[in-house]
Amino acid sequence: MKISEMKQSLAGLDAVHFRLPSGEYLPPHFHVTEVGLVSKHFIDCGGVERQETVANFQLWEAGDYDHRLAPQKFLHILALSEKILGQEDLDIEVEYQQATIGKFGLSFDGQDFVLLPKQTACLAQDACGIPSKEVAPPQLQMLACTPGGGCC
């Protein structure tokens, strides 16, 4: 989800609800404690230099059980964050405390914001000897990395 999509979704809501991938809802007294710009500049295992930038929202809960973040207040927070985020329509990443800090993608189902699981991946599979998805499962089972073989 992009920032513009979130703003559009918030404008039509009476209340803000976030749902975890498990289907469980965040407690209604959650806070948005940070909105930030996260830039990642890295080299993948194939030696390709890459850059990614996302808008990062940190959600948190405290013992103030009567707290509710109204959609209008959330829109105000987003307006304030433009000083940091600029005007670019960035993808949104959400952090939420679980056993450790969880990082999630975000979507909207027409009623709730849904936290989507994020996965790691090798961005240079061709350099690591990982076959494309078109390879038949028996061939995948025989694939093995060896020391010095160039695998990730």
Side-chain angles (χ1 to χ4, degrees):
M1 171 176 267
K2 298 212 175 269
I3 293 171
S4 63
E5 295 169 315
M6 176 168 239
K7 288 177 179 178
Q8 183 178 7
S9 299
L10 284 166
L13 294 178
D14 294 324
V16 181
H17 303 282
F18 282 89
R19 193 171 67 230
L20 292 163
S22 66
E24 179 183 352
Y25 283 88
L26 268 63
H29 57 277
F30 76 90
H31 292 254
V32 176
T33 56
E34 295 177 9
V35 176
L37 184 67
V38 176
S39 296
K40 183 177 175 183
H41 187 187
F42 61 102
I43 295 177
D44 68 26
C45 61
V48 176
E49 184 176 344
R50 298 178 187 262
Q51 293 187 30
E52 296 175 355
T53 303
V54 297
N56 181 273
F57 296 179
Q58 186 180 81
L59 306 180
W60 178 74
E61 57 188 87
D64 56 343
Y65 300 107
D66 294 331
H67 176 268
R68 298 294 183 271
L69 181 63
Q72 297 74 22
K73 176 66 174 175
F74 204 152
L75 285 167
H76 178 71
I77 292 169
L78 291 175
L80 291 174
S81 71
E82 289 176 0
K83 292 182 226 176
I84 301 295
L85 301 178
Q87 296 299 314
E88 189 176 350
D89 195 18
L90 298 167
D91 285 319
I92 298 170
E93 176 181 82
V94 177
E95 293 180 352
Y96 179 64
Q97 184 68 44
Q98 296 177 302
T100 187
I101 298 172
K103 291 175 105 175
F104 300 91
L106 188 64
S107 70
F108 184 70
D109 67 6
Q111 184 176 347
D112 301 320
F113 291 100
V114 181
L115 301 180
L116 304 171
K118 292 187 80 162
Q119 305 292 319
T120 60
C122 178
L123 299 176
Q125 291 186 12
D126 57 328
C128 295
I130 298 171
S132 67
K133 295 189 186 286
E134 292 84 36
V135 176
Q139 292 170 310
L140 284 175
Q141 293 172 359
M142 297 189 65
L143 179 68
C145 287
T146 58
C151 291
C152 294

